[in-house]
């Protein structure tokens, strides 16, 4: 069944645009930091078994989601109506914007994974005033947006798994930040919510 909005909006292109913007930001930031001698991706560098396992599973989950998203877009696998798909596009773009603001606010302290020896600054300004983990929030919003655009039996379970693994990574990173920065980070946690909001 065709819905009027489906005939007006090219949802495959819109979904690809959401993904292209998100991962364009991701890789552009990594490239910019590499040119300054900064190793951005540090997943799996820590020796602790729990950290290594979570980061490995998170990496596999986030890669698997991209593959499933692209396959779903290519074959048009979507079980939701056009209004849900349009909401998905808006949500996905909100995720892109949130992610962009997070990497801009973090500047050269942005890392992917928990660093082993590399020390960074505690960033609490910009979008980090309203979220302790805006980059992860951006991931989640982008994932939810694509699910609404291409909801099927592949995208839903893999996306839920990826979101759960990102949450576990957040918990590990917060423990690391508390050990590294101590009282300033604990004070920051008192006033800023994990995902969104302030006390």
């Amino acid at each position: 069944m065709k819905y009027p909005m489906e005939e007006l909006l090219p949802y495959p292109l819109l979904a690809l645009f959401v993904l292209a913007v998100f991962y364009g930001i991701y890789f552009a930031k990594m490239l910019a930091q590499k040119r300054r001698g900064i190793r951005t991706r540090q997943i799996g560098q820590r020796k602790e078994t729990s950290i290594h396992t979570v980061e490995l599973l998170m990496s596999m989950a986030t890669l698997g989601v991209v593959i499933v998203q692209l396959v779903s877009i290519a074959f048009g696998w979507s079980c939701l109506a056009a209004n849900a798909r349009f909401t998905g596009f808006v949500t996905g773009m909100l995720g892109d914007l949130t992610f962009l603001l997070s990497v801009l606010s973090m500047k050269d302290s942005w890392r992917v994974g928990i660093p082993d020896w590399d020390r960074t600054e505690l960033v609490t300004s910009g979008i980090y005033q309203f979220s302790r983990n805006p980059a992860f929030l951006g991931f989640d919003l982008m994932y939810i947006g694509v699910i609404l655009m291409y909801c099927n039996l592949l995208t839903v379970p893999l996306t839920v798994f990826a979101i759960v693994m990102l949450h576990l990574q957040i918990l590990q990173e917060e423990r690391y930040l508390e050990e590294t920065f101590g009282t300033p980070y604990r004070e920051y946690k008192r006033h800023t919510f994990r995902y969104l909001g302030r006390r």
Side-chain angles (χ1 to χ4, degrees), residues 93-167:
M93 291 305 299
L94 180 60
D96 289 354
L97 176 61
T98 302
F99 187 69
L100 174 62
L101 293 175
S102 74
V103 298
L104 291 176
S105 296
M106 188 63 79
K107 299 179 181 177
D108 282 340
S109 289
W110 186 58
R111 299 292 185 273
V112 179
I114 300 176
D116 188 13
W117 54 270
D118 196 5
R119 292 295 174 258
T120 59
E121 296 180 3
L122 177 62
V123 177
T124 60
S125 58
I127 195 173
Y128 285 84
Q129 297 177 74
F130 310 102
S131 170
R132 298 202 308 265
N133 300 281
F136 289 105
L137 178 61
F139 263 99
D140 290 349
L141 289 171
M142 182 271 290
Y143 286 155
I144 292 168
V146 177
I147 274 188
L148 290 173
M149 297 182 79
Y150 287 92
C151 181
N152 58 65
L153 293 177
L154 285 177
T155 56
V156 172
L158 270 177
T159 301
V160 169
F161 177 57
I163 289 174
V164 169
M165 295 313 303
L166 289 175
H167 181 73

Side-chain angles (χ1 to χ4, degrees), residues 19-143:
L19 295 176
V21 170
F22 188 91
Y23 290 105
I25 296 167
Y26 184 97
F27 288 111
K29 180 68 173 182
M30 288 183 67
L31 180 60
Q33 289 189 309
K34 182 179 180 180
R35 288 176 174 169
R36 290 192 289 275
I38 299 171
R39 184 178 179 183
T40 305
R41 185 176 173 84
Q42 300 194 19
I43 290 176
Q45 298 300 304
R46 300 294 291 250
K47 305 303 181 188
E48 298 92 327
T49 302
S50 60
I51 294 177
H52 188 82
T53 301
V54 169
E55 289 192 339
L56 179 62
L57 289 173
M58 180 190 69
S59 186
M60 292 170 58
T62 53
L63 176 61
V65 166
V66 176
I67 294 171
V68 168
Q69 287 172 333
L70 292 174
V71 169
S72 297
I73 293 168
F75 288 97
W77 294 339
S78 179
C79 62
L80 297 181
N83 56 351
R85 301 179 79 185
F86 181 75
T87 301
F89 172 68
V90 174
T91 304
M93 291 305 299
L94 180 60
D96 289 354
L97 176 61
T98 302
F99 187 69
L100 174 62
L101 293 175
S102 74
V103 298
L104 291 176
S105 296
M106 188 63 79
K107 299 179 181 177
D108 282 340
S109 289
W110 186 58
R111 299 292 185 273
V112 179
I114 300 176
D116 188 13
W117 54 270
D118 196 5
R119 292 295 174 258
T120 59
E121 296 180 3
L122 177 62
V123 177
T124 60
S125 58
I127 195 173
Y128 285 84
Q129 297 177 74
F130 310 102
S131 170
R132 298 202 308 265
N133 300 281
F136 289 105
L137 178 61
F139 263 99
D140 290 349
L141 289 171
M142 182 271 290
Y143 286 155

Side-chain angles (χ1 to χ4, degrees), residues 183-197:
T183 301
Y185 184 71
R186 286 191 288 271
E187 187 66 19
Y188 173 55
K189 284 176 66 176
R190 287 182 58 239
H191 297 291
T192 308
F193 292 156
R194 176 172 288 141
Y195 283 102
L196 186 63

